[in-house]
Amino acid sequence: MATSRPRRGPGMTEVARAAGVSQKTVSRVVNGEPHVSDEVRARVLRAIRDLDYRPNTAARALLSGRYRRIGVVALGSPLHGPTSLLFGLEQAVREAGYTFALASTAEGQGVTAAVESLLRQGVDGLVLAEPVDDGTPLRLHTDLPVVSLSAPVDTAGGHSAVVRADGVAAARLATEHLLALGHRTVWHVPGPQHWFSARERVRGWREALAAAGAPEPPMPEAGDWTPASGYAAGRRLARLTDVTAVFAANDDMAIGLVRAFAEAGLTVPHDISVVGFDDIPAAPYLSPPLTTLRQDFAAVADRAVGLLTAAVEGLPLPAEPTDVAVELRVRGSTAPARSRATADG
């Protein structure tokens, strides 16, 4: 009995015929090359969609020297920040006309191993969205362009850049907001210090206190970004009558703080003002609505992918970090200072 051969998918010839153009024009559209009118490009793309044409990536790479694929190294965390950033990167990569390849470090794979796995797949550039580091510079043995979304990276080819939300400036903004409300000082509940972003927020908090001449209170034990760790810190802080303002390293820990203060008979913001970080979707709907810092994850992703794809095309990466501003959203969880010792009698 003869076996049936799998049906071959449509090729570039069929796409060209359906769009009424040459195979060369189809090739230009597939590879994102210029010198194709918007009308012709739209016609070719419509034919590609209608025929479900899938270019042969390996063959295209041999011809052009490029894969039209961007590799991303990420933690694979369910936390709001990493998840939002990863979603933004995937959207930005696809909108730039590249395919998206992901290597996760969630299962204990290190960044170097994750990068190597992406290089074996074939990529034109790399984005490092891995937030965890040991505080020492990372060196990668690749001459491909690399954009890091946290700490700087050294590469064999020297083609690397940093794009990130300005966590230091954001933490200063949160602390200055609370000091401007008349609070004598601001306490900070930090995130895990093996995260680059958590260390940045500590730095910005300290800088703002020093600039204002405000005393720096001792930090509680670092949290792990969860409401439970914020709750544990809040139970300890609630016993200290000189605590009137707290800046938490993320919104989830701020939620835990507010719960602990409520159980201790303290009202936010009447007794203690609280500021978070991230502006999670629930933040405006909490009771009280949470004052927080909004990171524009989409803007970070767009900027990172834009610089990386430009570097793939031969443009140099910027030597200085590209910082994306973070916005303070003032809501109901902060208010002018009020002495708890007086209020408690």
Side-chain angles (χ1 to χ4, degrees):
M1 178 179 177
T3 58
S4 60
R5 300 175 63 183
R7 181 180 178 274
R8 184 179 69 87
M12 197 174 288
T13 302
E14 287 85 355
V15 173
R17 186 181 301 117
V21 299
S22 67
Q23 290 187 50
K24 179 62 177 175
T25 299
V26 175
S27 177
R28 284 176 175 161
V29 172
V30 168
N31 289 293
E33 296 176 12
H35 312 304
V36 179
S37 71
D38 291 342
E39 187 272 331
V40 169
R41 190 180 302 276
R43 210 161 68 226
V44 171
L45 291 174
R46 185 165 55 250
I48 287 173
R49 286 193 301 270
D50 292 346
L51 294 172
D52 195 23
Y53 168 64
R54 297 180 181 179
N56 186 317
T57 303
R60 188 172 64 195
L62 286 172
L63 292 171
S64 67
R66 294 179 186 158
Y67 295 93
R68 302 293 299 179
R69 183 188 296 124
I70 297 299
V72 175
V73 177
L75 180 61
S77 165
L79 294 169
H80 173 75
T83 300
S84 299
L85 193 53
L86 188 58
F87 177 78
L89 286 169
E90 184 171 8
Q91 292 290 106
V93 166
R94 297 195 188 285
E95 287 173 6
Y98 287 73
T99 57
F100 179 90
L102 174 66
S104 172
T105 59
E107 301 303 323
Q109 176 179 229
V111 172
T112 302
V115 167
E116 288 299 324
S117 73
L118 289 169
L119 295 178
R120 286 193 296 271
Q121 294 179 47
V123 294
D124 300 315
L126 295 162
V127 177
L128 300 187
E130 165 62 60
V132 175
D133 65 66
D134 61 4
T136 60
L138 176 66
R139 181 165 179 79
L140 299 177
H141 299 287
T142 178
D143 58 1
L144 293 179
V146 177
V147 175
S148 170
L149 305 188
S150 56
V153 177
D154 293 330
T155 66
H159 307 300
S160 67
V162 173
V163 177
R164 63 192 180 209
D166 192 343
V168 175
R172 284 200 303 263
L173 193 61
T175 308
E176 289 165 355
H177 167 67
L178 291 165
L179 292 173
L181 290 171
H183 296 278
R184 175 175 171 270
T185 190
V186 177
W187 293 67
H188 180 51
V189 177
Q193 293 302 287
H194 58 292
W195 285 58
F196 181 85
S197 58
R199 297 198 303 272
E200 277 199 324
R201 292 165 202 183
V202 170
R203 177 182 156 197
W205 165 71
R206 284 179 168 150
E207 287 182 2
L209 292 179
E216 181 184 314
M219 283 195 302
E221 180 180 350
D224 61 3
W225 302 124
T226 64
S229 64
Y231 176 80
R235 292 188 65 182
R236 292 190 292 272
L237 293 176
R239 294 193 289 266
L240 306 177
T241 58
D242 58 340
V243 176
T244 65
V246 184
F247 162 44
N250 79 333
D251 288 348
D252 281 342
M253 291 196 296
I255 290 170
L257 280 171
V258 173
R259 173 66 185 226
F261 294 154
E263 288 185 0
L266 301 170
T267 303
V268 174
H270 187 68
D271 298 306
I272 303 180
S273 289
V274 174
V275 174
F277 201 116
D278 278 341
D279 197 23
I280 61 175
Y285 305 101
L286 299 172
S287 182
L290 184 64
T291 295
T292 185
L293 293 143
R294 181 180 182 274
Q295 298 189 76
D296 192 338
F297 296 107
V300 172
D302 287 345
R303 186 64 174 145
V305 172
L307 290 176
L308 187 63
T309 53
V312 169
E313 299 296 330
L315 295 179
L317 288 166
E320 295 299 318
T322 300
D323 288 321
V324 177
V326 177
E327 178 187 357
L328 178 67
R329 295 287 180 90
V330 179
R331 299 192 180 105
S333 66
T334 54
R338 176 174 178 269
S339 171
R340 281 177 54 198
T342 301
D344 294 341

